[in-house]
Amino acid sequence: MAERANSHSDPHASRTQPRTRDRDREEAAARIRHLLETEGEAVHAQASVSNVRRAQVYEETDDLEELRTKARAIKEDAIERLPELIETVREAVEANGGTVYVAEDAADANEYVANVVEDAGGESAGGTTEATSDATDATGASGPTVVKSKSMTTEEIDLNDTLEREGADVYETDLGEWVLQVADDTPSHIVGPAMHLSRAEIADLFTERFDPDEPFETAEELTRFARDYLGERIREADIGITGANFVVAESGTLTLITNEGNARKCAVTPDTHVTVAGVEKLLPTVRDLEPFVDLIAKSATGQPISQYVTLLTPPVESPTLDFASDEPIAELEDEDEDGDDREFHLVLLDNGRTAMREDDQLRETLYCIRCGACSNSCANFQSVGGHGFGGETYSGGIATGWEAGVHGQDSAAEFNDLCTGCSRCVDACPVKIDIPWINTVVRDRINRDAEPEAYDALVDGLTPNAETGGLDPGKRFFGNIGTVAKLGSATAPVSNWLADAGPVRDLLERTLGIDRRRDLPTFQRECLVDWFEKRGGEAASRRRADRAASRGDAADVDREAVLYPDVYTNYVDTDRGKAAVRTLEALGIPVRVPDLPESGRAPLSQGMVATADERASALYGAVAEDLDAGRDLVVIEPSDLAAFQREYERFLPERSFERLREHSYEVCEYVYGLLENGGDPTALSTSAALAESDDRGDRGDPIAYHSHCQQRTLGLEAPTTALLERCGYELRTSTAECCGMAGSFGYKREYYELSVDVGERLATEFEDAETVVASGTSCGDQLEGLLERDVPHPIEMIAPER
Amino acid sequence: MATDTVGRFERALSDLEVGFERVAAADASERIASILEAPAVGTELPYDGVSQPDGVTTEPTAAELAAAETGVTPASFGIAEYGTVAIESRPDGDEPVALYPDFHVAVVAASDVVPDLGAAFERLEGHLRGAKSLVFATGRSATADMGDLVHGVHGPGAVHVIVLEDR
């Protein structure tokens, strides 16, 4: 706990002082550096393996999409009907002989459970004697013994602290939770709470703490010791406390999904069982459980199903186990056939959840089944773990929603920026929560609550937008990067020389938080739009396309394209834009390159939702006529296409959104479509192997290709790989989820080292590759920095020379 | 039940490194006796002509349960898709007998092996609405929380499934 208290300095306390953002950034960088060094390796080892297994088992599950859709619909319905379900479950549990208590907040829940524990402890629960709070010391115990399993919700309310204060001996029996209890540490992952500790660290900790004859070494020794030690605690326990993965309202059935078996023991060995579960765990019917039972182990660890899916309808009929008695266990039950010798309490925790339910943006968080798939699929999480990418209790992408809802926005503000919006978690989430959007919205709220600073005016003039007040100047700068780029291009090369000058880098780092170790983009004096106009504009393009048609190279389609000049293509990396124009023309497609508004991707990633909304309207207005005329919008930068095809759903009327989504294409997807429709690949610059197509046994030129995170989420990695293969290249693709650059993220001083750590995992995959290509600007910049060579866009590989 | 359902069950169990055999009801008792590790505890096997062998203590005390190496219980049904056995929490203690000893022997009738989770839920609905409890147990107890995957944590480290081919 102490370790974390340091990281939770009040964000408001320091923001009124000048230059404190600079200091905040420095502290954040130091904190992240420490986690990269101490916990990153252990977390990456486990999280990345779970992620790969999850992806595999998803791939092998034929009805995966159906299951996810079904699960999502059930959750939407259950949260909608929540007040009614609480009454239903109350009736069911009471009819079975148990008790239901709806706790308003943490204090309320703790008080109720403490009373149950005191009653169940009976005479032994004196509490006035010097009851030990040392959870690992069983011998001096005088209070009731509590054994726990599936404890994340009780972590949320710090139940152990309360019970120990009241004199109880509390034992976590999930091995990971127990390790944390022994280490006096906090969870770093929703499913694997001790993931940040290596086997060697656990062995040292246990050897020091329990002083065995021989030092612990292997996981097997540790597990055997834990089994014996905790087995004894369970046998002598007065009360078992568990969480629940799901609670079925109609029958009062709890579902516990586990691999170890201790949850079963905790629930049925002592005669008193308390379950603490968030109200959002309620599902209407037994049948509603099915898709969740099918999905949860797959999404969490990549197992087809967990070892134990326990379906308890308490008070259960299993006999209680009194290890001091020499009566047969079954005999005990005969005295009381209805299980009346058992006591059961279901504590349903609100603690902010009702308010989340009424919040249109946070409501989706309540659909979360806490499988940790969003953490495992997150490149930043893999590097720092939940002590960096997490709040007081919860961790990973979805934690922003949970922490904002149950502990308040300040807890979410501590780590929310670590979500770069890469969207890889969107495919991983079994209930299809738009986790990046929750992060964007909470970031927006945090921005709006912050206080303005003295040098905001410096960025104000440069960057007009719809945001008010204390938005971090760095965020405002990156959120308005289009304006910056336009100015940079207009004043190039002076702007480039200036930007490279030492004093300027120093100023940029202090005020905007741009890390001086990053190369800044080099602005082109002639932007893509101007180049296209000078070249003869649309008329010239049509002539070129017609010539291709008369040569017989053209695809058998009658289309026209509008190439979207995103900020980077237009001002910085004009080469890929020119390559796209030439490629389209060579396959018979006339192109236009109008000066179009920014997509809103940049402000979105800074949490500037109002600005992004304005950009969406402006963009749609600017392309509506082209869409009406039947032209296709061809996009090079995947993050801009992702804005059009994902986030715009929240900004535009449904018809406009659908229209834009239907008629916008990723450039390689579009070109591949042209080849599929009769376009001639030899009109392009292809691999030597294809050019000499009489010798098909010849292997093509090797290419290593890194797609783009958001492109993958749109399902658009495949067309690019297919296109490159069609053009005769011998292809290798990356397995890393993300390059770590993520737009502006890797430029920020506090995140530079994390960005490089993530990027290096990708770079290592391609170290020995001769040619490396990447679809995203950021990915290309990151790889160029780490591999020290050119990393072009795939379209540049296949574009004809002229 | 169709034999290929039992065959699928067998393959799933094999992937989980769980022992499997089909026996006639008349031979079941003898087979159980030959595979168990003493001391063994068990609960009533509710199949015609099948009873626990002599070496299995039925109606055990808690101490006998804690000392047992083997626990023998019936399974209400099996799920072929995942190699799962459904153990009902009956008053005579199936749940602790299946859970505490390191070796669990589950006996299931061939006619109770259902193809998939959907079919399992059809059977489950009746159980749970009747305020019953049960566990879907799939393979051996496991953890990775001590650094590497280890089997046999709080639950059994070895499992064997006996399918009564004529029941």
Side-chain angles (χ1 to χ4, degrees):
Chain A
M1 286 294 177
E3 184 192 15
R4 265 294 215 111
N6 293 335
S7 68
H8 283 181
S9 55
D10 178 357
H12 293 297
S14 55
R15 287 212 174 139
T16 48
Q17 302 291 323
R19 292 194 53 194
T20 50
R21 273 179 181 142
D22 186 35
R23 207 170 307 139
D24 285 350
R25 288 185 188 116
E26 199 174 295
E27 281 171 18
R31 210 159 54 231
I32 287 172
R33 192 180 310 126
H34 179 71
L35 287 172
L36 288 173
E37 285 165 6
T38 55
E39 303 187 352
E41 197 180 329
V43 171
H44 177 256
Q46 290 199 45
S48 63
V49 167
S50 288
N51 187 47
V52 168
R53 290 197 181 135
R54 192 263 316 150
Q56 275 167 357
V57 78
Y58 271 18
E59 193 67 42
E60 290 161 8
T61 306
D62 297 336
D63 57 347
L64 182 80
E65 275 318 295
E66 197 188 322
L67 286 171
R68 292 174 78 210
T69 305
K70 219 188 270 179
R72 166 86 190 190
I74 290 167
K75 274 288 183 184
E76 284 180 3
D77 173 60
I79 296 302
E80 177 73 31
R81 290 163 54 194
L82 191 55
E84 169 204 329
L85 294 183
I86 292 173
E87 289 322 304
T88 307
V89 81
R90 189 193 296 280
E91 281 168 30
V93 170
E94 285 175 358
N96 294 338
T99 309
V100 174
Y101 184 75
V102 180
E104 209 172 297
D105 56 22
D108 191 10
N110 285 334
E111 191 188 335
Y112 182 85
V113 179
N115 285 335
V116 173
V117 168
E118 195 182 331
D119 291 348
E123 286 152 19
S124 65
T128 50
T129 55
E130 40 179 328
T132 174
S133 62
D134 183 349
T136 58
D137 179 1
T139 52
S142 62
T145 298
V146 177
V147 287
K148 291 179 67 201
S149 175
K150 303 236 73 155
S151 299
M152 202 50 79
T153 302
T154 65
E155 288 268 7
E156 176 188 323
I157 61 176
D158 291 327
L159 176 65
N160 292 10
D161 293 349
T162 301
L163 297 182
E164 284 168 1
R165 244 194 333 268
E166 300 285 322
D169 292 313
V170 184
Y171 298 93
E172 297 291 347
T173 67
D174 295 355
L175 293 194
E177 282 284 349
W178 187 48
V179 168
L180 294 183
Q181 193 183 21
V182 172
D184 193 21
D185 204 345
T186 56
S188 63
H189 189 280
I190 295 180
V191 170
M195 190 179 277
H196 59 289
L197 297 171
S198 67
R199 179 186 48 74
E201 285 169 315
I202 298 170
D204 289 347
L205 172 72
F206 274 53
T207 301
E208 191 191 316
R209 193 56 176 269
F210 296 104
D211 195 24
D213 297 338
E214 293 284 318
F216 292 118
E217 222 167 89
T218 65
E220 265 180 53
E221 287 165 8
L222 287 163
T223 303
R224 202 178 318 122
F225 173 74
R227 175 187 173 128
D228 295 346
Y229 184 90
L230 294 172
E232 240 174 88
R233 304 289 88 76
I234 292 171
R235 284 199 289 278
E236 70 195 17
D238 301 290
I239 304 104
I241 298 179
T242 69
N245 292 88
F246 310 100
V247 179
V248 178
E250 66 167 349
S251 61
T253 303
L254 314 169
T255 309
L256 294 166
I257 314 265
T258 67
N259 287 331
E260 296 176 2
N262 57 308
R264 296 169 67 188
K265 284 184 170 169
C266 290
V268 304
T269 305
D271 55 13
T272 302
H273 178 201
V274 179
T275 291
V276 181
V279 288
E280 85 284 1
K281 300 286 178 70
L282 286 165
L283 297 177
T285 67
V286 173
R287 207 61 208 233
D288 291 329
L289 274 175
E290 191 186 330
F292 296 98
V293 169
D294 218 345
L295 281 168
I296 192 165
K298 295 183 175 75
S299 61
T301 56
Q303 294 169 269
I305 192 168
S306 293
Q307 263 80 355
Y308 303 121
V309 178
T310 302
L311 301 145
L312 293 176
T313 313
V316 298
E317 292 185 1
S318 280
T320 59
L321 301 177
D322 179 356
F323 289 88
S325 158
D326 52 10
E327 296 288 313
I329 55 173
E331 289 286 315
L332 294 173
E333 192 57 35
D334 289 345
E335 296 159 14
D336 227 331
E337 292 251 326
D338 303 326
D340 287 353
D341 57 333
R342 285 186 175 275
E343 200 178 314
F344 172 67
H345 300 263
L346 174 60
V347 179
L348 290 171
L349 180 68
D350 189 319
N351 206 30
R353 288 164 173 79
T354 299
M356 289 166 78
R357 178 174 171 266
E358 283 155 12
D359 182 324
D360 284 342
Q361 310 294 348
L362 290 188
R363 185 182 307 126
E364 233 189 333
T365 306
L366 297 173
Y367 306 157
C368 169
I369 61 172
R370 302 184 174 184
C371 66
C374 55
S375 298
N376 298 336
S377 60
C378 173
N380 280 350
F381 186 94
Q382 289 179 5
S383 279
V384 295
H387 288 162
F389 200 154
E392 288 180 32
T393 311
Y394 299 104
S395 52
I398 195 62
T400 288
W402 280 120
E403 291 289 331
V406 306
H407 293 311
Q409 207 162 280
D410 284 354
S411 181
E414 291 287 322
F415 62 91
N416 167 261
D417 279 350
L418 288 173
C419 170
T420 63
C422 87
S423 78
R424 294 308 298 135
C425 54
V426 170
D427 287 343
C429 178
V431 282
K432 300 187 171 182
I433 299 173
D434 193 343
I435 296 165
W437 178 253
I438 293 174
N439 278 277
T440 303
V441 167
V442 171
R443 189 168 306 143
D444 183 72
R445 291 177 183 180
I446 292 165
N447 290 342
R448 283 167 195 280
D449 286 356
E451 287 166 34
E453 245 184 276
Y455 49 70
D456 277 3
L458 187 146
V459 191
D460 268 344
L462 194 62
T463 55
N465 59 49
E467 312 299 317
T468 54
L471 179 64
D472 179 291
K475 287 189 174 174
R476 180 171 296 198
F477 175 83
F478 285 120
N480 291 283
I481 196 69
T483 314
V484 177
K486 192 167 188 172
L487 198 64
S489 171
T491 57
V494 176
S495 54
N496 294 325
W497 299 333
L498 251 182
D500 277 342
V504 173
R505 291 308 300 259
D506 183 58
L507 183 73
L508 288 176
E509 187 168 280
R510 269 189 298 116
T511 56
L512 304 180
I514 298 172
D515 198 286
R516 65 181 80 201
R517 288 165 288 188
R518 273 284 174 216
D519 291 335
L520 292 181
T522 308
F523 297 114
Q524 300 297 319
R525 181 79 183 148
E526 183 185 66
C527 71
L528 182 71
V529 171
D530 290 349
W531 167 84
F532 185 78
E533 277 315 306
K534 231 184 250 176
R535 183 175 174 262
E538 180 209 331
S541 182
R542 189 173 298 281
R543 281 195 301 276
R544 287 161 187 260
D546 288 347
R547 277 204 297 276
S550 63
R551 283 195 302 268
D553 295 341
D556 189 21
V557 290
D558 185 17
R559 313 293 306 176
E560 293 180 24
V562 172
L563 182 71
Y564 178 64
D566 64 87
V567 173
Y568 292 92
T569 305
N570 197 27
Y571 296 113
V572 180
D573 193 356
T574 51
D575 282 353
R576 63 183 193 169
K578 295 171 188 172
V581 169
R582 290 200 301 272
T583 304
L584 294 171
E585 289 167 352
L587 296 171
I589 303 295
V591 183
R592 299 164 187 236
V593 189
D595 190 6
L596 291 173
E598 286 176 64
S599 71
R601 168 56 65 201
L604 265 176
S605 63
Q606 309 305 325
M608 295 155 65
V609 174
T611 305
D613 195 351
E614 282 187 359
R615 300 268 156 84
S617 301
L619 185 281
Y620 187 77
V623 298
E625 201 178 320
D626 285 314
L627 298 181
D628 286 344
R631 293 179 197 114
D632 303 315
L633 186 63
V634 175
V635 184
I636 297 172
E637 183 58 39
S639 63
D640 290 306
L641 183 68
F644 300 158
Q645 299 203 344
R646 277 180 34 82
E647 281 92 347
Y648 273 27
E649 187 170 12
R650 300 177 187 271
F651 301 141
L652 297 179
E654 194 184 333
R655 273 175 61 185
S656 311
F657 168 69
E658 287 299 341
R659 195 161 174 70
L660 182 57
R661 180 161 72 169
E662 207 178 313
H663 296 286
S664 53
Y665 301 85
E666 193 274 327
V667 63
C668 289
E669 173 196 18
Y670 196 76
V671 172
Y672 181 67
L674 295 175
L675 296 187
E676 284 293 280
N677 283 282
D680 183 358
T682 61
L684 306 176
S685 164
T686 54
S687 162
L690 189 74
E692 300 151 19
S693 57
D694 48 327
D695 185 11
R696 295 301 294 176
D698 203 9
R699 292 168 74 85
D701 299 332
I703 280 195
Y705 169 55
H706 175 63
S707 180
H708 177 281
C709 45
Q710 289 164 331
Q711 181 184 357
R712 284 173 169 165
T713 301
L714 294 173
L716 292 176
E717 178 173 5
T720 301
T721 58
L723 174 63
L724 290 170
E725 279 168 356
R726 188 77 190 273
C727 290
Y729 291 100
E730 178 80 17
L731 202 65
R732 174 147 70 96
T733 57
S734 59
T735 59
E737 290 285 9
C738 180
C739 70
M741 191 67 165
S744 61
F745 184 81
Y747 285 99
K748 293 180 179 172
R749 184 181 171 192
E750 60 268 51
Y751 304 127
Y752 171 79
E753 280 146 288
L754 171 55
S755 166
V756 168
D757 189 72
V758 171
E760 268 168 0
R761 288 203 293 268
L762 169 62
T764 308
E765 291 188 48
F766 286 168
E767 242 162 10
D768 57 342
E770 212 170 296
T771 310
V772 179
V773 296
S775 292
T777 315
S778 301
C779 324
D781 287 349
Q782 176 83 305
L783 283 167
E784 285 181 352
L786 294 171
L787 296 172
E788 295 179 342
R789 76 179 91 156
D790 263 2
V791 177
H793 189 282
I795 200 77
E796 294 176 68
M797 296 303 298
I798 63 164
E801 293 298 318
R802 294 180 52 82
Chain B
M1 189 54 57
T3 46
D4 62 335
T5 301
V6 175
R8 191 177 176 197
F9 189 43
E10 180 178 3
R11 285 191 296 280
L13 288 167
S14 155
D15 288 346
L16 294 163
E17 295 178 39
V18 167
F20 170 92
E21 62 189 291
R22 306 172 207 230
V23 300
D27 303 329
S29 182
E30 196 190 319
R31 278 306 298 155
I32 294 167
S34 70
I35 59 170
L36 58 78
E37 301 246 347
V41 295
T43 56
E44 189 213 337
L45 298 173
Y47 311 105
D48 266 355
V50 180
S51 59
Q52 292 281 12
D54 288 344
V56 174
T57 305
T58 52
E59 299 189 9
T61 65
E64 285 167 330
L65 174 70
E69 286 292 328
T70 306
V72 185
T73 71
S76 300
F77 54 92
I79 306 170
E81 180 181 18
Y82 292 126
T84 303
V85 289
I87 310 294
E88 198 185 317
S89 301
R90 296 187 302 165
D92 58 346
D94 298 77
E95 165 73 351
V97 168
L99 178 62
Y100 270 85
D102 191 53
F103 181 34
H104 176 215
V105 178
V107 183
V108 62
S111 60
D112 284 329
V113 179
V114 302
D116 53 27
L117 200 59
F121 264 83
E122 271 163 36
R123 308 215 17 177
L124 192 62
E125 260 182 314
H127 279 280
L128 298 184
R129 291 223 179 87
K132 302 281 188 194
S133 301
L134 47 73
V135 58
F136 288 168
T138 307
R140 303 165 289 164
S141 146
T143 187
D145 283 348
M146 290 298 184
D148 292 304
L149 183 69
V150 178
H151 287 105
V153 195
H154 296 284
V159 178
H160 193 91
V161 174
I162 292 179
V163 171
L164 303 172
E165 57 191 5
D166 49 356
R167 289 291 182 271

